[in-house]
Amino acid sequence: MTDASAAEATSRADTERLVTLSDGIYAIAMTLLVLDLRIPPHLTGPAFQEALRSSWPNLGAAALSFAVLAGFWRDQRRILAPLPTVSPLVTRLTLLGLGLAAVLPYPTTLLAEYASHAQTIALYAGTIAAVEAVHVTVLLLTRRQAHASSEAPASAARRAFTAQLVSSMIVFAVSIAVAFYDTDVAMLTWIAVVPAHHLIAHRSRTGRR
C-alpha cells in the first residue's frame, strides 16, 4: 500500500469512527426518553385510571423527541457519508451537535410536565434549532469536499437538503419568540416543518428535471 493509499484509508477510518460514535450517542439518547414512561405499581381503580391519563403527556413528548432524534441521526449519517475525511473543525462541530442531541431528553421531560411555560418551549425548540444550525454549518463547510462539481445531481440534492435543515432551524427559532405570547401556538408552529420540507424537495426535483 502506498503512502497516499494508507493516508486515505486512515482518513476514511476517522470518518467511520465518527459515524459509529454518532450511532451510539443517538441510541443512548433515544433510550433515555423512555425512562419517564412509568406508572406506580399496585394501583387499582380510579388511581390507576388517573395515573394512566397522567402518563399521556410523557408518552407524547417521548414520541415527538424520538422522531426528532431519529431525524437528527439520519441527517448526521447523510452529512458524513460522502466525506472522504473529516477536518478537526468538522469533528468538533459534529461533537457539539452530538452533545446538544444528547441533552434533548432533559427538555423533553420539561415539555411533558411544564408545556405551558414559555421557558420550556424556548429550551426545547432552542436545542433543536441549535442542532440544526450545527448540521447546516457542517454541510456548508464540506460542500466542495462532498461533491467536486456543483452541477452534479448529488450536489443539487445536498443543497436541497441544506435548505430543508435551514427551514427547520428557522421554524423552531421562530417558535421561541412565539412561545412568550402563546405556548400552544408555538408548538403548533413546529408542524410547519413538514410542508416546508416537502415543498423544498418538490422544487428541487422539478429543478433537476
Side-chain angles (χ1 to χ4, degrees):
M1 181 181 290
T2 65
D3 291 343
S5 298
E8 182 179 350
T10 300
S11 297
R12 186 59 199 170
D14 290 340
T15 303
E16 291 172 354
R17 280 193 288 270
L18 193 57
V19 171
T20 301
L21 175 63
S22 301
D23 291 346
I25 289 177
Y26 278 113
I28 293 171
M30 290 175 178
T31 303
L32 291 175
L33 293 173
V34 304
L35 294 183
D36 289 329
L37 302 180
R38 59 182 182 272
I39 294 178
H42 312 304
L43 297 178
T44 59
F48 171 75
Q49 298 296 333
E50 178 59 30
L52 191 61
R53 282 192 296 271
S54 298
S55 69
W56 280 108
N58 297 86
L59 182 60
L64 173 62
S65 292
F66 187 92
V68 169
L69 287 171
F72 285 162
W73 169 77
R74 177 201 61 207
D75 295 344
Q76 183 76 73
R77 293 182 67 88
R78 185 175 176 183
I79 291 167
L80 296 177
L83 304 182
T85 184
V86 286
S87 67
L89 176 58
V90 169
T91 299
R92 287 193 290 268
L93 285 170
T94 300
L95 292 174
L96 172 61
L98 292 174
L100 291 167
V103 302
L104 190 62
Y106 171 63
T108 299
T109 300
L110 292 179
L111 187 67
E113 302 293 339
Y114 302 101
S116 61
H117 293 256
Q119 293 86 347
T120 295
I121 305 300
L123 180 59
Y124 188 85
T127 301
I128 295 175
V131 175
E132 298 287 24
V134 171
H135 286 176
V136 168
T137 303
V138 173
L139 278 167
L140 293 176
L141 287 173
T142 60
R143 63 187 184 279
R144 293 183 180 177
Q145 184 183 1
H147 305 292
S149 173
S150 61
E151 302 301 323
S155 181
R158 194 172 177 87
R159 288 195 296 271
F161 176 43
T162 304
Q164 288 177 326
L165 298 190
V166 169
S167 70
S168 296
M169 180 181 67
I170 292 173
V171 167
F172 281 96
V174 167
S175 75
I176 296 173
V178 175
F180 289 92
Y181 293 94
D182 191 311
T183 55
D184 291 334
V185 173
M187 287 186 284
L188 285 174
T189 63
W190 299 343
I191 301 174
V193 169
V194 177
H197 282 207
H198 282 291
L199 178 60
I200 292 169
H202 174 71
R203 294 186 64 178
S204 177
R205 289 192 296 267
T206 302
R208 288 199 294 271
R209 293 195 193 103

